[in-house]
Amino acid sequence: DQQVKQNSPSLSVQEGRISILNCDYTNSMFDYFLWYKKYPAEGPTFLISISSIKDKNEDGRFTVFLNKSAKHLSLHIVPSQPGDSAVYFCAARFTGRRALTFGSGTRLQVQP
Amino acid sequence: DAMVIQNPRYQVTQFGKPVTLSCSQTLNHNVMYWYQQKSSQAPKLLFHYYDKDFNNEADTPDNFQSRRPNTSFCFLDIRSPGLGDAAMYLCATSRDAGVSEKLFFGSGTQLSVL
């Protein structure tokens, strides 16, 4: 049973516009969430994270929002750039567990 | 640069022929993980080591084994690969410093089973 779900396999946006990537989770024990970015032929690299005690975390063009009551988080990229084209994975962890549980990823294509 | 290195990048094996994938790290991290990722699916944790302490996931098949001879190296052994074991295998590391700790990934080994 998938505890972290990314229901949109792909997303296409125009350069300069906002990209919104969504993630839902089912395990209420999760208390830390991360986004990873993956280019072809490379491993996933950390992008941004958020603790469950916060509802927003911002780092430059990237902002992650967390809605605990809805068990939903989203990654906003503003403005989107062609170099942002990659697969984005949502991941979650709960205190006491070292490993991350991943979603299946969303492929973002930013059109010039 | 400190990093996680996986070799080989591509591995082809025959059905039932044992295969070993390797991972090394220069980050000096306590924890090393092996994830399996099949096409368009979520990376799935197989097991991890905390130092020399092996932690298996409940649903990892017995066909998958791992060794960690020292801090820097970790191996994934598939004793009798089946067609369903064809996947990308990702090695990752982390410190063991709490819930906010990030994982650092290698580039992965793409395994094909003929």
Side-chain angles (χ1 to χ4, degrees):
Chain A
D1 189 28
Q2 220 177 338
Q3 298 184 56
V4 178
K5 300 178 184 179
Q6 294 177 257
N7 292 318
S8 297
S10 63
L11 174 68
S12 183
V13 300
Q14 290 294 124
E15 182 178 3
R17 306 294 288 264
I18 184 170
S19 295
I20 300 175
L21 296 95
N22 293 304
C23 178
D24 297 292
Y25 61 96
T26 57
N27 190 338
S28 57
M29 290 180 65
F30 287 139
D31 53 9
Y32 203 79
F33 304 88
L34 304 88
W35 285 92
Y36 277 78
K37 178 177 176 179
K38 185 182 184 302
Y39 291 118
E42 295 183 13
T45 55
F46 170 76
L47 185 60
I48 192 169
S49 61
I50 189 167
S51 165
S52 61
I53 62 173
K54 296 186 176 181
D55 55 17
K56 177 182 173 181
N57 188 28
E58 200 169 349
D59 184 2
R61 295 185 298 113
F62 302 91
T63 303
V64 57
F65 295 92
L66 175 62
N67 183 334
K68 280 187 67 177
S69 60
K71 294 191 179 70
H72 177 83
L73 63 157
S74 61
L75 174 68
H76 293 212
I77 307 173
V78 184
S80 301
Q81 299 174 353
D84 297 329
S85 298
V87 177
Y88 290 79
F89 290 98
C90 173
R93 177 197 273 133
F94 55 82
T95 301
R97 179 161 167 85
R98 297 185 189 101
L100 294 175
T101 301
F102 283 87
S104 54
T106 296
R107 183 178 301 279
L108 174 66
Q109 183 72 39
V110 181
Q111 307 286 349
Chain B
D1 277 347
M3 52 179 30
V4 182
I5 302 166
Q6 289 189 245
N7 286 306
R9 182 70 180 89
Y10 299 95
Q11 176 74 56
V12 180
T13 190
Q14 291 181 333
F15 182 95
K17 185 175 180 181
V19 65
T20 295
L21 310 182
S22 72
C23 177
S24 63
Q25 56 132 340
T26 60
L27 295 161
N28 203 32
H29 283 171
N30 303 100
V31 193
M32 295 187 78
Y33 310 80
W34 281 104
Y35 281 84
Q36 177 195 61
Q37 187 188 14
K38 297 185 178 179
S39 183
S40 301
Q41 295 184 20
K44 178 179 178 300
L45 180 69
L46 296 173
F47 26 59
H48 75 277
Y49 272 95
Y50 174 60
D51 291 334
K52 287 196 171 290
D53 183 26
F54 178 68
N55 298 268
N56 200 23
E57 292 297 294
D59 57 354
T60 297
D62 292 341
N63 199 25
F64 291 86
Q65 312 255 305
S66 186
R67 296 170 282 136
R68 188 179 185 185
N70 54 52
T71 300
S72 300
F73 286 89
C74 194
F75 300 98
L76 170 61
D77 301 308
I78 309 176
R79 291 193 296 185
S80 181
L83 299 178
D85 296 328
M88 172 70 78
Y89 290 88
L90 294 164
C91 174
T93 73
S94 73
R95 299 179 301 169
D96 185 30
V99 71
S100 63
E101 200 59 39
K102 302 190 292 270
L103 267 62
F104 294 80
F105 284 85
S107 299
T109 294
Q110 183 68 50
L111 177 69
S112 299
V113 181
L114 303 178

